[in-house]
Amino acid sequence: MAGGAATGGSSTSDTYAEARTWLLLPAWVTLGILVLAPVAIMLVYSFLTKEFRGGVIWEFSLGAYDQFFCNRGLFGDEPCSIEWTYIQIFWRSIWQAGAATLLSLAIGFPTAYFIATRPPRQRTLWVFLVTIPYWVNLLIRTVSMKFLLRDEGPLNDFLTGTGLLSEPLAIVNTNFAVQLGLFYSYLPFMVLPIYAAVERYNFALSEAASDLYAPRWTVLRRILLPSVKPGIVAGCILVFVPSLGSFLAPDLLGGARNFMIGSLIEEQFKGNAGNWPFGAAASMILLTMVLIILLIFARQQAKAEG
Amino acid sequence: MTRKTNDAIEVRNAVKRYGTFTALKQVSLTISDNEFFTLLGPSGCGKTTLLRMIAGFEDVTEGGIFLFGEEIEGLPPHKRPINTVFQNYALFPHMTVLDNVGFGLEMLGKSKSEARKRAGEVLEMVQLSQFSARKPSQLSGGQQQRVALARALAPRPKVLLLDEPLSALDLKLRKAMQIELKHLQKETGITFIFVTHDQEEALTMSDRVAVMSAGEVQQLGDAREIYERPRNMFVADFIGETNLLEVTVDQIDAGRAACHLGGGHRLTCDAVDGIGAGARVHMSLRPERLFLSSAPTESESLKARVRENIFIGTDISTILDLDDGPEFRVRASNSSRGTSRVFEPGTEVFVNMERGAARLLVD
């Protein structure tokens, strides 16, 4: 009888094995066309020689990476010393994206908690409200933000009009403006995963903790936060990663001095002034960095669960 | 207000309202130190609300709650020396069993090593020492239940609240845990307040039981009292199996009440306070205190016809149609003495009562 069951089992799995190839085909095609091929093209281009009017010459070169990391003096004939310009832009991008992520977390967590603790029928409405601004195009939202924040904008009119400040607050063209812009661009990506995690959270755990003499903040720190950590991590990744490569907010709100990687890459492909291999190389470096960050998160998560 | 009384918990005229809905109407009861006390009732009767009020998760709309004579209403849960075993255990999933059990002690300011040492001792008491390094998800339901119990006992609370802690366990395990809980309560000397909807569980374990319904305590007493002398219809019907007959009281004489059924058949039983001559009330007859015979054994025997016999292991239950009255049940134990009193369906028989089988009920 056991043998019969085993035969039956294997024949079923054979049926599926045949179908599996076909069923998975759309996924593989999509992944291939939309992910693997573009990355492969970028990788190839980053090792080609630049053409001055944009485009590439099909000749292998490490020039793009050399330009990124090496300073060879004004005439390009000195030995390699570290080129800080681009590393600084990267560093500023990480810092800006990190600040935007923390800002999103600081506002997004209480928001998500608030929504998840409403009666079930109201929650859908709140989630809907959170997503409404995102029906408007990102570019328009960012430009609107600039209008709101500028020296003659409503915010400063209010601050100076009510006498809270005598001089308008210079927000546009600062790092903070960029952080605000990024924060506003990606806030729902923080709110929604945390909301999902808090909604699944068993509030009896909080009751149990306070029953066992834990004051409110301890309940939050020791019980609630560890339980919803996967949602927080997901939210942080979803805000941090696109912020890192973003160019709209830094371009429009940050001005020339607050350049980020996204803008640097964008510049390389614009008009005739660009440098395609260099843009591709910068993209590859960005991609590698993001992957490393994700791997660190994933490993920590696995350790926490292990 | 008296301080340091021997009453572990006193609930004084407690009322709980949610908007216009009254979950608890004027409940007053006292629970002695070292008592195993059970709140028994169907779902929605207010028993869990009362328990949560004692724990501090719900505030009291009116009235007060006292712990050894001291008012505790208004104190948040973490400031009450009372611990709870939750219905679905509510174990912290990201902590080991040992850290779960040690959590309360740690929160009371004990060092981590001290908390772990005591947690280890309590785990030994519930025979779970070998699982202390595991996460709750790696345990069976019964084991999780013991961890929840250990976690609530570890800080040595003055009162332990148990909110239907056995309802998720299978029957055999539940029976074993009932006995174990009872022993644990005697060993630790901690006052247990146990909430359940299972009347058998309540009768098995408790020193005293409060039967609740519709936000009120219907009757309070020890298991025997509640089973044998139910005060009203609800208690008689909710606890165990019973037959209810509508009767009219003719007269009360020397502690006995003479009554008659709708069809005129006469019965006598013990008089009950609050039921006088002329009252139309219900009479409860416990099926296991009745027996059948082919001829009447006394003038009060009721004539009936057997409809069906149902075999239920320890007992045989007979369903009868009464001459003037509703469907009727009689139980005989599955022994030679009992089975000699079982008759074939269709047979005409007489229902006879043991003394004290009948009980008049306040509606």
Side-chain angles (χ1 to χ4, degrees):
Chain A
M1 191 185 139
T7 318
S10 73
S11 78
T12 336
S13 78
D14 279 350
T15 319
Y16 282 121
E18 207 171 291
R20 184 179 292 138
T21 321
W22 293 106
L23 288 172
L24 285 177
L25 195 65
W28 282 117
V29 170
T30 314
L31 276 175
I33 293 177
L34 297 180
V35 180
L36 295 176
V39 171
I41 292 171
M42 222 161 58
L43 186 67
V44 171
Y45 269 56
S46 72
F47 290 107
L48 295 178
T49 308
K50 79 170 173 182
E51 164 83 73
F52 281 98
R53 295 177 306 281
V56 288
I57 301 166
W58 281 82
E59 217 170 84
F60 178 81
S61 161
L62 285 172
Y65 290 95
D66 189 88
Q67 184 184 345
F68 194 96
F69 291 110
C70 287
N71 179 359
R72 294 186 188 277
L74 198 53
F75 302 103
D77 52 0
E78 291 167 29
C80 182
S81 62
I82 296 177
E83 169 65 271
W84 289 105
T85 318
Y86 304 115
I87 294 172
Q88 261 168 9
I89 293 175
F90 263 69
W91 175 242
R92 184 190 304 138
S93 303
I94 291 173
W95 164 248
Q96 292 284 67
T101 306
L102 286 181
L103 199 58
S104 302
L105 184 61
I107 304 290
F109 185 84
T111 310
Y113 185 89
F114 172 83
I115 298 174
T117 49
R118 291 313 92 194
R121 277 153 165 232
Q122 282 181 29
R123 290 178 206 161
T124 333
L125 177 71
W126 285 106
V127 169
F128 178 70
L129 289 177
V130 166
T131 53
I132 279 187
Y134 298 86
W135 299 5
V136 175
N137 181 284
L138 177 62
L139 177 63
I140 295 169
R141 270 186 286 135
T142 313
V143 172
S144 314
M145 188 129 183
K146 184 170 184 164
F147 274 91
L148 288 174
L149 297 178
R150 67 185 175 159
D151 291 0
E152 308 83 34
L155 178 68
N156 274 314
D157 279 354
F158 172 76
L159 290 175
T160 50
T162 53
L164 282 169
L165 290 174
S166 54
E167 288 288 302
L169 201 60
I171 302 174
V172 174
N173 294 343
T174 61
N175 279 338
F176 182 60
V178 177
Q179 289 158 18
L180 271 183
L182 292 173
F183 152 76
Y184 185 56
S185 300
Y186 302 114
L187 182 63
F189 296 119
M190 183 64 85
V191 174
L192 295 178
I194 297 179
Y195 160 71
V198 178
E199 201 197 18
R200 276 199 311 273
Y201 174 69
N202 175 10
F203 279 91
L205 296 180
S206 292
E207 283 191 346
S210 72
D211 189 68
L212 291 162
Y213 315 107
R216 288 182 67 157
W217 283 104
T218 313
V219 176
L220 179 78
R221 196 169 48 82
R222 294 279 307 266
I223 310 297
L224 177 68
L225 284 183
S227 300
V228 301
K229 197 173 141 203
I232 294 175
V233 170
C236 288
I237 290 172
L238 288 177
V239 172
F240 182 79
V241 170
S243 292
L244 195 58
S246 178
F247 58 88
L248 269 182
D251 273 5
L252 292 170
L253 296 166
R257 283 184 304 119
N258 299 299
F259 217 63
M260 281 172 60
I261 326 169
S263 314
L264 175 71
I265 294 170
E266 186 210 6
E267 288 295 316
Q268 308 311 317
F269 294 98
K270 246 165 118 184
N272 289 336
N275 179 344
W276 288 18
F278 182 68
S283 300
M284 289 313 296
I285 292 162
L286 175 63
L287 189 68
T288 313
M289 238 168 52
V290 168
L291 278 178
I292 290 170
I293 291 165
L294 289 184
L295 277 177
I296 292 170
F297 267 130
R299 180 165 295 188
Q300 273 200 330
Q301 199 78 338
K303 205 185 283 175
E305 275 158 26
Chain B
M1 189 176 80
T2 51
R3 280 177 61 88
K4 295 289 164 203
T5 68
N6 217 24
D7 296 330
I9 290 282
E10 184 192 349
V11 178
R12 202 181 287 168
N13 298 323
V15 177
K16 178 70 188 176
R17 276 190 286 267
Y18 298 99
T20 55
F21 173 70
T22 306
L24 220 56
K25 311 169 186 163
Q26 285 268 343
V27 169
S28 290
L29 46 86
T30 52
I31 298 163
S32 319
D33 193 12
N34 201 1
E35 186 172 24
F36 197 124
F37 191 90
T38 297
L39 297 168
L40 171 67
S43 59
C45 71
K47 58 190 193 297
T48 297
T49 304
L50 181 56
L51 195 80
R52 290 175 60 82
M53 276 162 46
I54 297 171
F57 298 129
E58 305 276 352
D59 53 5
V60 178
T61 314
E62 280 168 33
I65 294 176
F66 301 83
L67 177 73
F68 289 100
E70 281 179 68
E71 167 100 61
I72 52 169
E73 172 53 18
L75 286 182
H78 71 269
K79 291 195 175 145
R80 302 186 184 197
I82 295 173
N83 290 142
T84 307
V85 179
F86 291 84
Q87 186 167 13
N88 294 310
Y89 318 140
L91 298 176
F92 307 131
H94 56 288
M95 294 184 196
T96 62
V97 166
L98 193 67
D99 287 343
N100 260 282
V101 177
F103 188 83
L105 295 157
E106 218 185 301
M107 290 299 121
L108 284 174
K110 299 266 185 293
S111 69
K112 193 128 187 161
S113 62
E114 215 176 326
R116 286 205 161 142
K117 187 168 163 281
R118 164 84 180 140
E121 287 166 17
V122 182
L123 278 173
E124 200 158 311
M125 195 161 79
V126 296
Q127 295 136 38
L128 277 180
S129 304
Q130 70 271 38
F131 298 115
S132 54
R134 292 210 193 165
K135 292 276 173 72
S137 60
Q138 296 166 306
L139 301 180
S140 72
Q143 290 164 341
Q144 290 183 24
Q145 208 282 326
R146 283 157 188 267
V147 176
L149 188 64
R151 185 178 68 173
L153 282 172
R156 295 192 178 89
K158 290 192 171 151
V159 174
L160 185 77
L161 309 178
L162 302 103
D163 185 8
E164 308 217 18
L166 307 181
S167 61
L169 304 181
D170 63 62
L171 184 67
K172 215 162 180 178
L173 195 54
R174 191 156 73 222
K175 298 250 180 215
M177 277 307 291
Q178 286 171 6
I179 307 295
E180 198 172 319
L181 272 178
K182 176 105 189 145
H183 289 164
L184 211 55
Q185 192 266 326
K186 292 294 165 228
E187 267 170 48
T188 55
I190 293 170
T191 307
F192 278 31
I193 304 179
F194 189 91
V195 159
T196 182
H197 62 266
D198 182 336
Q199 42 103 6
E200 202 182 314
E201 195 165 279
L203 299 184
T204 310
M205 301 165 74
S206 321
D207 294 326
R208 282 193 308 154
V209 179
V211 185
M212 292 184 71
S213 158
E216 284 175 300
V217 175
Q218 303 292 333
Q219 190 170 358
L220 203 158
D222 64 30
R224 247 206 137 87
E225 205 175 317
I226 287 198
Y227 187 82
E228 291 181 353
R229 293 193 298 282
R231 201 173 67 81
N232 60 22
M233 281 271 285
F234 175 82
V235 178
D237 202 28
F238 189 74
I239 312 284
E241 197 183 14
T242 195
N243 297 295
L244 293 170
L245 293 178
E246 225 173 278
V247 298
T248 307
V249 181
D250 296 322
Q251 69 175 77
I252 311 272
D253 182 26
R256 297 287 288 172
C259 317
H260 69 268
L261 296 180
H265 187 86
R266 296 188 176 283
L267 293 168
T268 53
C269 64
D270 286 337
V272 168
D273 282 349
I275 298 176
R280 280 178 62 86
V281 291
H282 280 90
M283 177 184 273
S284 158
L285 295 154
R286 293 283 183 204
E288 73 279 8
R289 317 233 6 213
L290 305 173
F291 60 94
L292 302 177
S293 59
S294 48
T297 58
E298 52 179 348
S299 67
E300 293 191 352
S301 301
L302 288 159
K303 201 160 91 176
R305 186 180 292 277
V306 176
R307 193 198 294 171
E308 199 180 353
N309 288 312
I310 299 167
F311 177 74
I312 36 180
T314 53
D315 289 347
I316 292 166
S317 175
T318 305
I319 303 175
L320 305 130
D321 292 309
L322 215 57
D323 259 10
D324 55 345
E327 173 187 298
F328 215 71
R329 281 169 190 265
V330 171
R331 262 182 194 238
S333 71
N334 186 13
S335 63
S336 53
R337 181 169 162 272
T339 46
S340 68
R341 291 168 172 175
V342 174
F343 295 84
E344 287 303 304
T347 323
E348 205 149 271
V349 292
F350 289 87
V351 180
N352 313 289
M353 293 161 219
E354 289 174 11
R355 196 179 158 81
R359 175 88 190 158
L360 291 178
L361 304 170
V362 180
D363 274 337

mmCIF file with all atom_site columns, all heavy atoms in Angstrom, chain B residues 263-279:
data_model
loop_
_atom_site.group_PDB
_atom_site.id
_atom_site.type_symbol
_atom_site.label_atom_id
_atom_site.label_alt_id
_atom_site.label_comp_id
_atom_site.label_asym_id
_atom_site.label_entity_id
_atom_site.label_seq_id
_atom_site.pdbx_PDB_ins_code
_atom_site.Cartn_x
_atom_site.Cartn_y
_atom_site.Cartn_z
_atom_site.occupancy
_atom_site.B_iso_or_equiv
_atom_site.pdbx_formal_charge
_atom_site.auth_seq_id
_atom_site.auth_comp_id
_atom_site.auth_asym_id
_atom_site.auth_atom_id
_atom_site.pdbx_PDB_model_num
ATOM 1   N N   . GLY B 1 263 ? -52.088 19.183 34.438 1.00 0.00 ? 263 GLY B N   1
ATOM 2   C CA  . GLY B 1 263 ? -53.137 18.182 34.342 1.00 0.00 ? 263 GLY B CA  1
ATOM 3   C C   . GLY B 1 263 ? -53.713 17.764 35.681 1.00 0.00 ? 263 GLY B C   1
ATOM 4   O O   . GLY B 1 263 ? -54.566 16.881 35.736 1.00 0.00 ? 263 GLY B O   1
ATOM 5   N N   . GLY B 1 264 ? -53.215 18.339 36.777 1.00 0.00 ? 264 GLY B N   1
ATOM 6   C CA  . GLY B 1 264 ? -53.750 18.054 38.079 1.00 0.00 ? 264 GLY B CA  1
ATOM 7   C C   . GLY B 1 264 ? -52.932 17.078 38.914 1.00 0.00 ? 264 GLY B C   1
ATOM 8   O O   . GLY B 1 264 ? -53.175 16.902 40.095 1.00 0.00 ? 264 GLY B O   1
ATOM 9   N N   . HIS B 1 265 ? -51.920 16.426 38.319 1.00 0.00 ? 265 HIS B N   1
ATOM 10  C CA  . HIS B 1 265 ? -51.080 15.484 39.062 1.00 0.00 ? 265 HIS B CA  1
ATOM 11  C C   . HIS B 1 265 ? -50.356 16.196 40.203 1.00 0.00 ? 265 HIS B C   1
ATOM 12  O O   . HIS B 1 265 ? -49.827 17.282 40.035 1.00 0.00 ? 265 HIS B O   1
ATOM 13  C CB  . HIS B 1 265 ? -50.069 14.846 38.104 1.00 0.00 ? 265 HIS B CB  1
ATOM 14  C CG  . HIS B 1 265 ? -49.281 13.755 38.732 1.00 0.00 ? 265 HIS B CG  1
ATOM 15  N ND1 . HIS B 1 265 ? -49.732 12.446 38.772 1.00 0.00 ? 265 HIS B ND1 1
ATOM 16  C CD2 . HIS B 1 265 ? -48.098 13.774 39.372 1.00 0.00 ? 265 HIS B CD2 1
ATOM 17  C CE1 . HIS B 1 265 ? -48.840 11.721 39.398 1.00 0.00 ? 265 HIS B CE1 1
ATOM 18  N NE2 . HIS B 1 265 ? -47.835 12.501 39.781 1.00 0.00 ? 265 HIS B NE2 1
ATOM 19  N N   . ARG B 1 266 ? -50.362 15.568 41.369 1.00 0.00 ? 266 ARG B N   1
ATOM 20  C CA  . ARG B 1 266 ? -49.785 16.225 42.548 1.00 0.00 ? 266 ARG B CA  1
ATOM 21  C C   . ARG B 1 266 ? -48.366 15.772 42.839 1.00 0.00 ? 266 ARG B C   1
ATOM 22  O O   . ARG B 1 266 ? -48.037 14.603 42.717 1.00 0.00 ? 266 ARG B O   1
ATOM 23  C CB  . ARG B 1 266 ? -50.674 15.964 43.766 1.00 0.00 ? 266 ARG B CB  1
ATOM 24  C CG  . ARG B 1 266 ? -52.036 16.576 43.596 1.00 0.00 ? 266 ARG B CG  1
ATOM 25  C CD  . ARG B 1 266 ? -52.898 16.528 44.827 1.00 0.00 ? 266 ARG B CD  1
ATOM 26  N NE  . ARG B 1 266 ? -54.132 17.243 44.543 1.00 0.00 ? 266 ARG B NE  1
ATOM 27  C CZ  . ARG B 1 266 ? -54.219 18.577 44.528 1.00 0.00 ? 266 ARG B CZ  1
ATOM 28  N NH1 . ARG B 1 266 ? -53.154 19.324 44.851 1.00 0.00 ? 266 ARG B NH1 1
ATOM 29  N NH2 . ARG B 1 266 ? -55.347 19.166 44.216 1.00 0.00 ? 266 ARG B NH2 1
ATOM 30  N N   . LEU B 1 267 ? -47.541 16.738 43.258 1.00 0.00 ? 267 LEU B N   1
ATOM 31  C CA  . LEU B 1 267 ? -46.145 16.465 43.606 1.00 0.00 ? 267 LEU B CA  1
ATOM 32  C C   . LEU B 1 267 ? -45.816 17.286 44.844 1.00 0.00 ? 267 LEU B C   1
ATOM 33  O O   . LEU B 1 267 ? -46.345 18.383 45.011 1.00 0.00 ? 267 LEU B O   1
ATOM 34  C CB  . LEU B 1 267 ? -45.210 16.923 42.487 1.00 0.00 ? 267 LEU B CB  1
ATOM 35  C CG  . LEU B 1 267 ? -45.258 16.195 41.139 1.00 0.00 ? 267 LEU B CG  1
ATOM 36  C CD1 . LEU B 1 267 ? -44.488 16.999 40.108 1.00 0.00 ? 267 LEU B CD1 1
ATOM 37  C CD2 . LEU B 1 267 ? -44.672 14.815 41.278 1.00 0.00 ? 267 LEU B CD2 1
ATOM 38  N N   . THR B 1 268 ? -44.892 16.764 45.686 1.00 0.00 ? 268 THR B N   1
ATOM 39  C CA  . THR B 1 268 ? -44.403 17.606 46.777 1.00 0.00 ? 268 THR B CA  1
ATOM 40  C C   . THR B 1 268 ? -42.888 17.669 46.707 1.00 0.00 ? 268 THR B C   1
ATOM 41  O O   . THR B 1 268 ? -42.233 16.739 46.226 1.00 0.00 ? 268 THR B O   1
ATOM 42  C CB  . THR B 1 268 ? -44.789 17.047 48.167 1.00 0.00 ? 268 THR B CB  1
ATOM 43  O OG1 . THR B 1 268 ? -44.355 15.697 48.223 1.00 0.00 ? 268 THR B OG1 1
ATOM 44  C CG2 . THR B 1 268 ? -46.275 17.151 48.417 1.00 0.00 ? 268 THR B CG2 1
ATOM 45  N N   . CYS B 1 269 ? -42.363 18.791 47.159 1.00 0.00 ? 269 CYS B N   1
ATOM 46  C CA  . CYS B 1 269 ? -40.897 18.907 47.228 1.00 0.00 ? 269 CYS B CA  1
ATOM 47  C C   . CYS B 1 269 ? -40.543 19.930 48.293 1.00 0.00 ? 269 CYS B C   1
ATOM 48  O O   . CYS B 1 269 ? -41.431 20.542 48.885 1.00 0.00 ? 269 CYS B O   1
ATOM 49  C CB  . CYS B 1 269 ? -40.341 19.311 45.878 1.00 0.00 ? 269 CYS B CB  1
ATOM 50  S SG  . CYS B 1 269 ? -40.865 20.935 45.355 1.00 0.00 ? 269 CYS B SG  1
ATOM 51  N N   . ASP B 1 270 ? -39.234 20.130 48.517 1.00 0.00 ? 270 ASP B N   1
ATOM 52  C CA  . ASP B 1 270 ? -38.794 21.084 49.531 1.00 0.00 ? 270 ASP B CA  1
ATOM 53  C C   . ASP B 1 270 ? -39.239 22.491 49.147 1.00 0.00 ? 270 ASP B C   1
ATOM 54  O O   . ASP B 1 270 ? -39.171 22.867 47.982 1.00 0.00 ? 270 ASP B O   1
ATOM 55  C CB  . ASP B 1 270 ? -37.257 21.067 49.653 1.00 0.00 ? 270 ASP B CB  1
ATOM 56  C CG  . ASP B 1 270 ? -36.797 19.801 50.370 1.00 0.00 ? 270 ASP B CG  1
ATOM 57  O OD1 . ASP B 1 270 ? -37.619 19.217 51.108 1.00 0.00 ? 270 ASP B OD1 1
ATOM 58  O OD2 . ASP B 1 270 ? -35.629 19.402 50.178 1.00 0.00 ? 270 ASP B OD2 1
ATOM 59  N N   . ALA B 1 271 ? -39.700 23.241 50.156 1.00 0.00 ? 271 ALA B N   1
ATOM 60  C CA  . ALA B 1 271 ? -40.073 24.635 49.906 1.00 0.00 ? 271 ALA B CA  1
ATOM 61  C C   . ALA B 1 271 ? -38.813 25.470 49.698 1.00 0.00 ? 271 ALA B C   1
ATOM 62  O O   . ALA B 1 271 ? -37.725 25.111 50.155 1.00 0.00 ? 271 ALA B O   1
ATOM 63  C CB  . ALA B 1 271 ? -40.868 25.173 51.081 1.00 0.00 ? 271 ALA B CB  1
ATOM 64  N N   . VAL B 1 272 ? -38.977 26.550 48.976 1.00 0.00 ? 272 VAL B N   1
ATOM 65  C CA  . VAL B 1 272 ? -37.848 27.438 48.685 1.00 0.00 ? 272 VAL B CA  1
ATOM 66  C C   . VAL B 1 272 ? -38.251 28.842 49.092 1.00 0.00 ? 272 VAL B C   1
ATOM 67  O O   . VAL B 1 272 ? -39.390 29.255 48.872 1.00 0.00 ? 272 VAL B O   1
ATOM 68  C CB  . VAL B 1 272 ? -37.529 27.379 47.174 1.00 0.00 ? 272 VAL B CB  1
ATOM 69  C CG1 . VAL B 1 272 ? -36.588 28.485 46.769 1.00 0.00 ? 272 VAL B CG1 1
ATOM 70  C CG2 . VAL B 1 272 ? -36.961 26.025 46.802 1.00 0.00 ? 272 VAL B CG2 1
ATOM 71  N N   . ASP B 1 273 ? -37.289 29.566 49.695 1.00 0.00 ? 273 ASP B N   1
ATOM 72  C CA  . ASP B 1 273 ? -37.561 30.958 50.070 1.00 0.00 ? 273 ASP B CA  1
ATOM 73  C C   . ASP B 1 273 ? -38.015 31.752 48.859 1.00 0.00 ? 273 ASP B C   1
ATOM 74  O O   . ASP B 1 273 ? -37.434 31.619 47.786 1.00 0.00 ? 273 ASP B O   1
ATOM 75  C CB  . ASP B 1 273 ? -36.289 31.613 50.632 1.00 0.00 ? 273 ASP B CB  1
ATOM 76  C CG  . ASP B 1 273 ? -36.063 31.170 52.071 1.00 0.00 ? 273 ASP B CG  1
ATOM 77  O OD1 . ASP B 1 273 ? -36.994 30.564 52.634 1.00 0.00 ? 273 ASP B OD1 1
ATOM 78  O OD2 . ASP B 1 273 ? -34.961 31.424 52.602 1.00 0.00 ? 273 ASP B OD2 1
ATOM 79  N N   . GLY B 1 274 ? -39.055 32.524 49.046 1.00 0.00 ? 274 GLY B N   1
ATOM 80  C CA  . GLY B 1 274 ? -39.478 33.411 47.959 1.00 0.00 ? 274 GLY B CA  1
ATOM 81  C C   . GLY B 1 274 ? -40.552 32.811 47.075 1.00 0.00 ? 274 GLY B C   1
ATOM 82  O O   . GLY B 1 274 ? -41.010 33.465 46.155 1.00 0.00 ? 274 GLY B O   1
ATOM 83  N N   . ILE B 1 275 ? -40.903 31.547 47.317 1.00 0.00 ? 275 ILE B N   1
ATOM 84  C CA  . ILE B 1 275 ? -41.987 30.960 46.533 1.00 0.00 ? 275 ILE B CA  1
ATOM 85  C C   . ILE B 1 275 ? -43.100 30.555 47.492 1.00 0.00 ? 275 ILE B C   1
ATOM 86  O O   . ILE B 1 275 ? -42.915 29.668 48.335 1.00 0.00 ? 275 ILE B O   1
ATOM 87  C CB  . ILE B 1 275 ? -41.508 29.743 45.720 1.00 0.00 ? 275 ILE B CB  1
ATOM 88  C CG1 . ILE B 1 275 ? -40.432 30.186 44.726 1.00 0.00 ? 275 ILE B CG1 1
ATOM 89  C CG2 . ILE B 1 275 ? -42.683 29.102 44.974 1.00 0.00 ? 275 ILE B CG2 1
ATOM 90  C CD1 . ILE B 1 275 ? -39.828 29.059 43.932 1.00 0.00 ? 275 ILE B CD1 1
ATOM 91  N N   . GLY B 1 276 ? -44.223 31.225 47.398 1.00 0.00 ? 276 GLY B N   1
ATOM 92  C CA  . GLY B 1 276 ? -45.320 30.971 48.325 1.00 0.00 ? 276 GLY B CA  1
ATOM 93  C C   . GLY B 1 276 ? -46.484 30.277 47.637 1.00 0.00 ? 276 GLY B C   1
ATOM 94  O O   . GLY B 1 276 ? -46.413 29.953 46.447 1.00 0.00 ? 276 GLY B O   1
ATOM 95  N N   . ALA B 1 277 ? -47.534 30.031 48.387 1.00 0.00 ? 277 ALA B N   1
ATOM 96  C CA  . ALA B 1 277 ? -48.718 29.370 47.845 1.00 0.00 ? 277 ALA B CA  1
ATOM 97  C C   . ALA B 1 277 ? -49.309 30.209 46.723 1.00 0.00 ? 277 ALA B C   1
ATOM 98  O O   . ALA B 1 277 ? -49.305 31.432 46.773 1.00 0.00 ? 277 ALA B O   1
ATOM 99  C CB  . ALA B 1 277 ? -49.748 29.161 48.950 1.00 0.00 ? 277 ALA B CB  1
ATOM 100 N N   . GLY B 1 278 ? -49.786 29.559 45.679 1.00 0.00 ? 278 GLY B N   1
ATOM 101 C CA  . GLY B 1 278 ? -50.400 30.255 44.554 1.00 0.00 ? 278 GLY B CA  1
ATOM 102 C C   . GLY B 1 278 ? -49.434 30.583 43.442 1.00 0.00 ? 278 GLY B C   1
ATOM 103 O O   . GLY B 1 278 ? -49.849 30.938 42.342 1.00 0.00 ? 278 GLY B O   1
ATOM 104 N N   . ALA B 1 279 ? -48.111 30.447 43.710 1.00 0.00 ? 279 ALA B N   1
ATOM 105 C CA  . ALA B 1 279 ? -47.125 30.817 42.684 1.00 0.00 ? 279 ALA B CA  1
ATOM 106 C C   . ALA B 1 279 ? -47.114 29.796 41.550 1.00 0.00 ? 279 ALA B C   1
ATOM 107 O O   . ALA B 1 279 ? -47.247 28.596 41.787 1.00 0.00 ? 279 ALA B O   1
ATOM 108 C CB  . ALA B 1 279 ? -45.736 30.911 43.312 1.00 0.00 ? 279 ALA B CB  1
#
